[in-house]
């Protein structure tokens, strides 16, 4: 079962919710950090990296001897990754999507494939949590490709929580697509509401079962709550604005470890996800039992 | 010629190709590039190389466009003068210095 945790913007506490949710589950669980441009779930968990896998795509390597500078490959590439410079074309691997098309159109068989690193997936074990973090190399624009690489490394036999990149652009959609349930994290402010609406549009488009978590409840107004009521969107949890939570956060501690009284909040969140999943999809979500 | 010089290269609207011998100039449009999500500079650099220019005068040129121009043997000069006529006058007077690296970072870094 796949649970995606997303938010319309950054800084809503999405990762904190994901990690705490993983922690209170009394069963092996996977946490996939799909925020590949800024992975940070590992900062909340004490675990040494157990393995790092390099993620590559196939980019063209042009044999200058065979190439007659016909530019068929340059014209073909939709991503402007090849440039004609009067002789064998020049490649910008950081723009290449690895589609392989240029190799097919080359009439002189001058292109072969070469591996080009776009980032990595690091695996860590922290208690029952198996964390896999995707990390995109600086300057590479293929965030969605790396998100897919992280998702492909999911073990289908246990529950997985996917920490989505903030926003509603391609990498966030790539994370959400195929999830069984989406948790949208927001703050009760006008900005929070605005970004929540965008996130709701996205999950509705993807036809996902979903619900909302309000983080730092009490800092703003009631508009997010009213919006959810009006739209028939289930409010799964309201986490109060508590200075001690912010303090624990700044020390890199989990809420449920630093403040055990909050354990029940996250257990209720699992329960709410379970209930909503049953209601919206006709089947319960949970794989393990929260206690 | 009195038109303003666009400070950015890849997303400039047009390029003027000026022939120093005949003093003729032609306008090349760069409009197909204005909305390119990525690689606008690379495309623009190829347009310049294809036009047969030996030198490019521009406000800012990113690293990728610079690599293409360098490979194609086009020299790059940066200037912040407001008009094309003035940029040209300075070039002719030998007052512009050749850039040996891109002077702005790419956008996706
Ligand atoms: S593999 Fe595809 S994206 Fe990469 S250079 Fe070739 S055509 Fe362009
Ligand atoms: S299609 Fe092949 S021969 Fe033509 S420019 Fe590209 S690499 Fe060279």
């Amino acid at each position: 079962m796949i649970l995606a945790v997303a938010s319309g913007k950054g800084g809503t506490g999405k990762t904190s919710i994901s990690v705490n949710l993983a922690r209170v589950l009394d069963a092996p669980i996977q946490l996939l950090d799909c925020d590949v441009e800024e992975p940070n779930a590992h900062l909340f968990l004490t675990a040494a990296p157990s393995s790092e896998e390099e993620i590559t795509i196939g980019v063209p390597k042009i044999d200058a001897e065979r190439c007659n500078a016909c530019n068929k490959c340059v014209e073909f590439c939709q991503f402007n990754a090849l440039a004609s410079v009067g002789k064998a074309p020049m490649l910008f691997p950081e723009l290449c999507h690895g589609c392989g098309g240029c190799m097919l159109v080359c009439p002189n068989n001058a292109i072969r494939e070469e591996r080009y690193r776009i980032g990595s997936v690091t695996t860590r074990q922290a208690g029952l949590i198996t964390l896999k973090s995707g990390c995109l190399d600086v300057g590479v624009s293929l965030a969605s490709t790396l998100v897919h690489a992280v998702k492909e490394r999911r073990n289908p036999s246990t529950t997985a929580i996917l920490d989505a990149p903030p926003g509603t652009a391609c990498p966030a959609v790539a994370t959400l697509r195929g999830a069984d349930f989406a948790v949208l994290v927001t703050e009760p402010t006008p900005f929070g509401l605005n970004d929540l609406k965008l996130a709701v549009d996205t999950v509705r488009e993807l036809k996902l079962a979903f619900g909302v978590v309000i983080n730092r409840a009490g800092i703003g107004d009631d508009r997010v709550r009213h919006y959810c009521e009006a739209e028939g969107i289930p409010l799964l949890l309201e986490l109060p604005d508590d200075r001690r939570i912010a303090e624990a956060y700044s020390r890199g501690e989990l809420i449920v470890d630093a403040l055990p009284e909050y354990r029940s909040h996250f257990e209720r969140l699992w329960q709410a996800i379970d209930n909503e999943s049953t209601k919206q999809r006709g089947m319960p979500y949970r794989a393990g039992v929260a206690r | 010629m009195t038109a303003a010089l666009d400070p950015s290269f890849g997303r400039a609207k047009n390029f003027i190709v000026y022939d120093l011998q005949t003093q003729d100039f032609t306008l090349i449009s760069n409009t197909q590039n204005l909305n390119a999500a990525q690689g606008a500079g690379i495309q623009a650099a190829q347009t310049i190389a294809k036009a047969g220019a030996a030198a490019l005068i521009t406000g800012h040129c990113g690293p990728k466009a610079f690599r293409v121009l360098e490979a194609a043997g086009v020299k790059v000069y940066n200037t912040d003068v407001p008009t094309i006529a003035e940029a040209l006058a300075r070039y002719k007077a030998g007052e512009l210095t050749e850039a040996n690296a891109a002077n702005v970072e790419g956008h996706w870094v």
Side-chain angles (χ1 to χ4, degrees):
Chain A
M1 286 298 224
I2 307 170
L3 175 69
V5 181
S7 67
K9 69 171 180 103
T12 57
K14 170 182 59 62
T15 303
S16 171
I17 301 284
S18 310
V19 184
N20 281 286
L21 202 49
R23 179 70 121 215
V24 297
L25 196 69
D26 248 355
I29 183 150
Q30 301 166 83
L31 183 58
L32 307 188
D33 195 343
C34 296
D35 189 0
V36 300
E37 281 168 282
E38 234 174 304
N40 62 349
H42 59 283
L43 302 176
F44 294 90
L45 298 167
T46 27
S50 57
S51 71
E52 185 184 314
E53 199 182 334
E54 215 172 64
I55 306 301
T56 61
I57 57 165
V59 302
K61 166 93 180 153
I62 298 174
D63 179 350
E65 303 275 285
R66 289 189 174 198
C67 171
N68 65 355
C70 72
N71 284 336
K72 291 228 160 60
C73 56
V74 178
E75 282 154 27
F76 178 84
C77 182
Q78 290 173 39
F79 303 104
N80 295 341
L82 287 165
S84 108
V85 289
K87 39 192 188 242
M90 187 177 212
L91 172 74
F92 289 88
E94 59 276 45
L95 299 186
C96 173
H97 282 52
C99 73
C102 52
M103 296 168 219
L104 294 176
V105 301
C106 176
N108 298 317
N109 218 349
I111 309 183
R112 60 181 182 79
E113 195 182 86
E114 191 177 55
R115 301 316 292 177
Y116 177 78
R117 184 189 146 112
I118 60 164
S120 61
V121 176
T122 303
T123 305
R124 297 174 173 85
Q125 188 68 40
L128 290 169
I129 303 173
T130 306
L131 171 65
K132 288 186 190 289
S133 313
C135 186
L136 192 69
D137 284 352
V138 171
V140 177
S141 55
L142 297 180
S144 303
T145 308
L146 199 57
V147 167
H148 287 127
V150 177
K151 288 176 74 173
E152 276 163 20
R153 281 156 183 78
R154 180 179 67 91
N155 170 359
S157 61
T158 57
T159 302
I161 298 177
L162 272 51
D163 188 12
T168 50
C170 300
V173 173
T175 305
L176 285 163
R177 199 182 291 277
D180 297 303
F181 195 90
V183 173
L184 305 180
V185 182
T186 187
E187 285 181 345
T189 61
F191 284 126
L193 177 58
N194 182 59
D195 296 323
L196 174 63
K197 285 177 180 170
L198 299 174
V200 167
D201 287 347
T202 305
V203 294
R204 281 192 171 149
E205 192 135 323
L206 292 168
K207 300 195 167 46
L208 301 181
F210 72 102
V212 166
V213 167
I214 298 180
N215 196 15
R216 306 183 61 207
I219 60 166
D221 50 38
D222 276 341
R223 273 186 278 181
V224 168
R225 203 183 294 149
H226 292 154
Y227 163 76
C228 289
E229 264 164 34
E231 291 282 321
I233 298 169
L235 202 52
L236 305 168
L237 170 74
E238 289 187 69
L239 203 60
D241 181 40
D242 183 335
R243 190 175 44 82
R244 295 172 307 156
I245 290 181
E247 283 166 5
Y249 185 93
S250 68
R251 289 193 302 266
E253 282 174 13
L254 287 180
I255 304 169
V256 296
D257 290 346
L259 307 163
E261 64 266 40
Y262 278 108
R263 253 194 109 80
S264 60
H265 283 76
F266 287 93
E267 287 164 359
R268 283 209 309 278
L269 178 51
W270 273 117
Q271 192 64 55
I273 291 168
D274 207 18
N275 293 344
E276 276 309 319
S277 179
T278 311
K279 216 188 286 171
Q280 296 179 37
R281 304 169 58 237
M283 62 177 106
Y285 168 75
R286 252 185 313 168
V289 183
R291 218 178 296 129
Chain B
M1 278 291 136
T2 53
L5 185 69
D6 195 310
S8 91
F9 170 56
R11 291 178 201 276
K13 253 199 214 107
N14 299 297
F15 302 122
I16 286 195
V17 182
Y18 186 82
D19 187 326
L20 288 171
Q21 260 132 37
T22 64
Q23 306 203 355
D24 280 343
F25 62 85
T26 36
L27 193 76
I28 319 181
S29 158
N30 187 41
T31 41
Q32 81 283 1
N33 246 331
L34 292 178
N35 299 318
Q38 57 177 25
I42 296 173
Q43 290 295 313
Q46 292 179 85
T47 306
I48 298 296
K50 224 187 281 164
L56 165 74
I57 308 175
T58 183
H60 305 285
C61 173
K64 296 192 179 71
F66 189 85
R67 269 161 62 197
V68 173
L69 292 164
E70 198 180 28
V74 181
K75 294 195 167 83
V76 179
Y77 297 89
N78 295 127
T79 180
D80 54 6
V81 299
T83 69
I84 291 167
E86 203 176 332
L88 204 55
R90 292 225 183 159
Y91 174 78
K92 284 185 188 159
E95 285 172 19
L96 297 181
T97 42
E98 193 184 334
N100 46 20
N103 69 343
V104 282
E105 283 293 314
H107 309 293
W108 37 81
V109 178

PDB file of all heavy atoms in Angstrom, chain A residues 24 50 62 105 108 126 132 166 170 174 189 217 223 238 240 245 247:
ATOM      1  N   VAL A  24       5.236   5.799  14.441  1.00  0.00           N
ATOM      2  CA  VAL A  24       4.248   5.222  15.370  1.00  0.00           C
ATOM      3  C   VAL A  24       3.687   3.896  14.890  1.00  0.00           C
ATOM      4  O   VAL A  24       2.974   3.223  15.635  1.00  0.00           O
ATOM      5  CB  VAL A  24       3.060   6.185  15.665  1.00  0.00           C
ATOM      6  CG1 VAL A  24       3.551   7.441  16.367  1.00  0.00           C
ATOM      7  CG2 VAL A  24       2.284   6.517  14.411  1.00  0.00           C
ATOM      8  N   SER A  50      23.213   2.734   4.643  1.00  0.00           N
ATOM      9  CA  SER A  50      23.697   1.372   4.459  1.00  0.00           C
ATOM     10  C   SER A  50      24.096   1.116   3.017  1.00  0.00           C
ATOM     11  O   SER A  50      24.923   0.273   2.737  1.00  0.00           O
ATOM     12  CB  SER A  50      22.652   0.367   4.929  1.00  0.00           C
ATOM     13  OG  SER A  50      21.451   0.586   4.242  1.00  0.00           O
ATOM     14  N   ILE A  62      28.786  10.635 -29.330  1.00  0.00           N
ATOM     15  CA  ILE A  62      28.930  10.712 -30.785  1.00  0.00           C
ATOM     16  C   ILE A  62      30.363  10.408 -31.218  1.00  0.00           C
ATOM     17  O   ILE A  62      31.311  10.973 -30.688  1.00  0.00           O
ATOM     18  CB  ILE A  62      28.489  12.103 -31.302  1.00  0.00           C
ATOM     19  CG1 ILE A  62      27.003  12.318 -30.972  1.00  0.00           C
ATOM     20  CG2 ILE A  62      28.735  12.235 -32.802  1.00  0.00           C
ATOM     21  CD1 ILE A  62      26.473  13.684 -31.287  1.00  0.00           C
ATOM     22  N   VAL A 105      17.679   8.022 -35.100  1.00  0.00           N
ATOM     23  CA  VAL A 105      17.610   8.813 -36.338  1.00  0.00           C
ATOM     24  C   VAL A 105      18.967   8.990 -37.010  1.00  0.00           C
ATOM     25  O   VAL A 105      19.020   9.377 -38.173  1.00  0.00           O
ATOM     26  CB  VAL A 105      16.963  10.212 -36.133  1.00  0.00           C
ATOM     27  CG1 VAL A 105      15.552  10.086 -35.605  1.00  0.00           C
ATOM     28  CG2 VAL A 105      17.801  11.090 -35.220  1.00  0.00           C
ATOM     29  N   ASN A 108      24.191   7.478 -39.853  1.00  0.00           N
ATOM     30  CA  ASN A 108      25.567   6.982 -39.985  1.00  0.00           C
ATOM     31  C   ASN A 108      26.011   6.112 -38.816  1.00  0.00           C
ATOM     32  O   ASN A 108      27.195   5.801 -38.698  1.00  0.00           O
ATOM     33  CB  ASN A 108      26.527   8.167 -40.137  1.00  0.00           C
ATOM     34  CG  ASN A 108      26.220   8.967 -41.382  1.00  0.00           C
ATOM     35  OD1 ASN A 108      25.965   8.387 -42.429  1.00  0.00           O
ATOM     36  ND2 ASN A 108      26.193  10.281 -41.250  1.00  0.00           N
ATOM     37  N   ALA A 126      16.319   2.559  10.151  1.00  0.00           N
ATOM     38  CA  ALA A 126      16.193   3.137  11.488  1.00  0.00           C
ATOM     39  C   ALA A 126      15.063   2.411  12.195  1.00  0.00           C
ATOM     40  O   ALA A 126      13.893   2.722  11.993  1.00  0.00           O
ATOM     41  CB  ALA A 126      15.906   4.631  11.407  1.00  0.00           C
ATOM     42  N   LYS A 132      14.437   5.281   2.076  1.00  0.00           N
ATOM     43  CA  LYS A 132      15.149   5.416   0.800  1.00  0.00           C
ATOM     44  C   LYS A 132      15.027   6.871   0.354  1.00  0.00           C
ATOM     45  O   LYS A 132      13.922   7.381   0.171  1.00  0.00           O
ATOM     46  CB  LYS A 132      14.558   4.488  -0.259  1.00  0.00           C
ATOM     47  CG  LYS A 132      14.889   3.021  -0.007  1.00  0.00           C
ATOM     48  CD  LYS A 132      14.416   2.143  -1.151  1.00  0.00           C
ATOM     49  CE  LYS A 132      14.512   0.660  -0.796  1.00  0.00           C
ATOM     50  NZ  LYS A 132      15.877   0.164  -0.728  1.00  0.00           N
ATOM     51  N   PRO A 166       7.371  19.462  -2.476  1.00  0.00           N
ATOM     52  CA  PRO A 166       6.314  20.464  -2.314  1.00  0.00           C
ATOM     53  C   PRO A 166       5.849  20.976  -3.670  1.00  0.00           C
ATOM     54  O   PRO A 166       6.579  20.880  -4.653  1.00  0.00           O
ATOM     55  CB  PRO A 166       6.985  21.580  -1.520  1.00  0.00           C
ATOM     56  CG  PRO A 166       8.449  21.399  -1.735  1.00  0.00           C
ATOM     57  CD  PRO A 166       8.660  19.935  -1.970  1.00  0.00           C
ATOM     58  N   CYS A 170       5.619  18.710 -11.982  1.00  0.00           N
ATOM     59  CA  CYS A 170       5.837  17.331 -12.419  1.00  0.00           C
ATOM     60  C   CYS A 170       6.396  16.376 -11.348  1.00  0.00           C
ATOM     61  O   CYS A 170       5.870  15.274 -11.201  1.00  0.00           O
ATOM     62  CB  CYS A 170       6.744  17.286 -13.643  1.00  0.00           C
ATOM     63  SG  CYS A 170       6.063  18.175 -15.039  1.00  0.00           S
ATOM     64  N   ALA A 174       4.544  13.086 -10.241  1.00  0.00           N
ATOM     65  CA  ALA A 174       5.199  11.784 -10.430  1.00  0.00           C
ATOM     66  C   ALA A 174       5.159  10.979  -9.131  1.00  0.00           C
ATOM     67  O   ALA A 174       5.022   9.760  -9.140  1.00  0.00           O
ATOM     68  CB  ALA A 174       6.645  11.978 -10.892  1.00  0.00           C
ATOM     69  N   THR A 189      -3.623  29.227   7.103  1.00  0.00           N
ATOM     70  CA  THR A 189      -3.399  30.632   6.738  1.00  0.00           C
ATOM     71  C   THR A 189      -3.940  30.843   5.324  1.00  0.00           C
ATOM     72  O   THR A 189      -4.161  29.872   4.605  1.00  0.00           O
ATOM     73  CB  THR A 189      -1.896  30.953   6.729  1.00  0.00           C
ATOM     74  OG1 THR A 189      -1.265  30.123   5.747  1.00  0.00           O
ATOM     75  CG2 THR A 189      -1.254  30.700   8.076  1.00  0.00           C
ATOM     76  N   ALA A 217      -2.144  24.238  13.840  1.00  0.00           N
ATOM     77  CA  ALA A 217      -3.500  24.763  14.006  1.00  0.00           C
ATOM     78  C   ALA A 217      -3.502  25.813  15.110  1.00  0.00           C
ATOM     79  O   ALA A 217      -2.887  25.636  16.145  1.00  0.00           O
ATOM     80  CB  ALA A 217      -4.460  23.622  14.358  1.00  0.00           C
ATOM     81  N   ARG A 223     -10.456  29.376   7.770  1.00  0.00           N
ATOM     82  CA  ARG A 223     -10.868  29.236   6.375  1.00  0.00           C
ATOM     83  C   ARG A 223     -10.538  27.873   5.757  1.00  0.00           C
ATOM     84  O   ARG A 223     -11.282  27.385   4.929  1.00  0.00           O
ATOM     85  CB  ARG A 223     -10.296  30.373   5.527  1.00  0.00           C
ATOM     86  CG  ARG A 223     -11.224  31.581   5.551  1.00  0.00           C
ATOM     87  CD  ARG A 223     -10.764  32.644   4.631  1.00  0.00           C
ATOM     88  NE  ARG A 223      -9.738  33.444   5.268  1.00  0.00           N
ATOM     89  CZ  ARG A 223      -9.147  34.477   4.702  1.00  0.00           C
ATOM     90  NH1 ARG A 223      -9.424  34.804   3.461  1.00  0.00           N
ATOM     91  NH2 ARG A 223      -8.245  35.165   5.353  1.00  0.00           N
ATOM     92  N   GLU A 238      -5.692  17.685  13.128  1.00  0.00           N
ATOM     93  CA  GLU A 238      -5.205  19.051  13.340  1.00  0.00           C
ATOM     94  C   GLU A 238      -4.117  18.953  14.392  1.00  0.00           C
ATOM     95  O   GLU A 238      -4.375  18.536  15.520  1.00  0.00           O
ATOM     96  CB  GLU A 238      -6.324  19.974  13.825  1.00  0.00           C
ATOM     97  CG  GLU A 238      -7.330  20.286  12.742  1.00  0.00           C
ATOM     98  CD  GLU A 238      -8.341  21.335  13.194  1.00  0.00           C
ATOM     99  OE1 GLU A 238      -7.927  22.500  13.354  1.00  0.00           O
ATOM    100  OE2 GLU A 238      -9.518  20.972  13.393  1.00  0.00           O
ATOM    101  N   PRO A 240      -1.736  20.903  16.806  1.00  0.00           N
ATOM    102  CA  PRO A 240      -1.717  22.270  17.339  1.00  0.00           C
ATOM    103  C   PRO A 240      -0.360  22.938  17.170  1.00  0.00           C
ATOM    104  O   PRO A 240       0.672  22.288  17.044  1.00  0.00           O
ATOM    105  CB  PRO A 240      -2.050  22.081  18.816  1.00  0.00           C
ATOM    106  CG  PRO A 240      -1.741  20.666  19.123  1.00  0.00           C
ATOM    107  CD  PRO A 240      -1.929  19.888  17.856  1.00  0.00           C
ATOM    108  N   ILE A 245       6.968  21.605  19.924  1.00  0.00           N
ATOM    109  CA  ILE A 245       7.129  20.865  18.672  1.00  0.00           C
ATOM    110  C   ILE A 245       8.217  21.527  17.832  1.00  0.00           C
ATOM    111  O   ILE A 245       9.114  20.866  17.296  1.00  0.00           O
ATOM    112  CB  ILE A 245       5.797  20.799  17.882  1.00  0.00           C
ATOM    113  CG1 ILE A 245       4.807  19.886  18.621  1.00  0.00           C
ATOM    114  CG2 ILE A 245       6.040  20.285  16.462  1.00  0.00           C
ATOM    115  CD1 ILE A 245       3.473  19.718  17.921  1.00  0.00           C
ATOM    116  N   GLU A 247      10.609  23.305  18.921  1.00  0.00           N
ATOM    117  CA  GLU A 247      11.910  23.095  19.572  1.00  0.00           C
ATOM    118  C   GLU A 247      12.465  21.711  19.263  1.00  0.00           C
ATOM    119  O   GLU A 247      13.644  21.556  18.944  1.00  0.00           O
ATOM    120  CB  GLU A 247      11.786  23.286  21.087  1.00  0.00           C
ATOM    121  CG  GLU A 247      11.710  24.747  21.484  1.00  0.00           C
ATOM    122  CD  GLU A 247      11.262  24.954  22.928  1.00  0.00           C
ATOM    123  OE1 GLU A 247      11.086  23.942  23.668  1.00  0.00           O
ATOM    124  OE2 GLU A 247      11.066  26.116  23.310  1.00  0.00           O
TER     125      GLU A 247
END
